[in-house]
Amino acid sequence: MPLPERLVPLLDQFDFARQRLADRMAGPVMDSGNGTDVEVGPMTDAEYLWEPGPGCWSVRRHVDGPGARATLLVGAGEWGRDTTPPPHPVPPPFTTIAWRLSHLSEMLALRADHTNGSRSLTRDDYRVAGDAATALAAFDTAADAWREALLSVDDKALDTVGHCTYPHGSDAENPFLEIVWWMNQELLHHGAEIALLRDLHRLRA
């Protein structure tokens, strides 16, 4: 099935942002932005779980319970991600790389499932990673699944409200094309946050 023309630039943007983030997290080099390779080491568990200040939200073992201002840990397996039912705390807690990467990977995986999969996965089904290497692999798997979901749609699907049945966003109100655009924005802004947190961890006192 030919790719809808409207989807091509969004898929290109997704591929670009995904590669930049993956390289920034895993190394051994990343593109500086002008085509020059810059050496970067793989993200460590210390970086992944680093809490720059008090009261951060992160991922934690279920047996340890949620962190400050969180009321539950969401996710399957040994680890879960700090959260609370709406309304969320104001101002929002600062979140670790682990929280941000888990959140991003979960969105990619669940939206993929609710586009061309079982349309049944929930946050309680998603396995939260407690270490950097597992989290990086989970991100790749989720990004692959979302990309495959995008390749499955046609022009009619792009205009269909509710084509993706993901239950935690605006999917039930917006055409699928807008959901594709939104997921790119999630990848871009969380990717930038993760990159900055890696820099700050390197420069800590």
Side-chain angles (χ1 to χ4, degrees):
M1 181 176 67
L3 200 64
E5 288 187 13
R6 293 177 293 164
L7 186 57
V8 172
L10 290 171
L11 187 62
D12 287 345
Q13 184 184 58
F14 173 80
D15 288 341
F16 174 81
R18 175 197 177 172
Q19 191 62 53
R20 288 293 295 271
L21 177 55
D23 290 346
R24 186 66 179 82
M25 294 190 297
V29 296
M30 66 174 185
D31 187 331
S32 67
N34 63 5
T36 302
D37 284 341
V38 176
E39 290 187 13
V40 57
M43 184 164 59
T44 65
D45 291 349
E47 291 174 276
Y48 178 67
L49 295 168
W50 179 50
E51 298 189 20
C56 290
W57 276 8
S58 189
V59 304
R60 310 179 195 281
R61 289 182 174 88
H62 281 286
V63 295
D64 296 330
R69 300 171 69 199
T71 58
L72 60 99
L73 293 168
V74 65
E78 180 183 2
W79 294 77
R81 188 176 67 252
D82 282 326
T83 191
T84 186
H88 298 303
V90 178
F94 193 88
T95 54
T96 63
I97 290 177
W99 195 100
R100 294 167 202 245
L101 186 55
S102 170
H103 166 65
L104 178 59
S105 299
E106 179 201 88
M107 273 195 298
L108 289 165
L110 264 62
R111 272 208 164 98
D113 176 73
H114 282 269
T115 299
N116 69 336
S118 70
R119 297 180 182 260
S120 66
L121 292 184
T122 71
R123 289 173 171 169
D124 291 330
D125 298 314
Y126 185 78
R127 294 189 70 85
V128 174
D131 65 275
T134 304
L136 295 182
F139 170 71
D140 279 340
T141 298
D144 282 343
W146 177 241
R147 193 180 198 282
E148 181 138 342
L150 297 182
L151 295 178
S152 74
V153 302
D154 56 17
D155 264 307
K156 180 180 178 181
L158 291 179
D159 291 326
T160 300
V161 175
H163 178 73
C164 175
T165 58
Y166 178 71
H168 306 296
S170 62
D171 304 64
E173 292 86 38
N174 292 326
F176 186 65
L177 185 65
E178 293 187 24
I179 302 303
V180 177
W181 173 86
W182 177 252
M183 282 306 300
N184 281 5
Q185 307 317 301
E186 291 281 351
L187 178 58
L188 287 161
H189 90 254
H190 286 307
E193 292 166 347
I194 290 167
L196 178 59
L197 280 170
R198 288 210 71 189
D199 288 338
L200 291 175
H201 183 269
R202 177 173 52 85
L203 294 173
R204 72 196 187 287

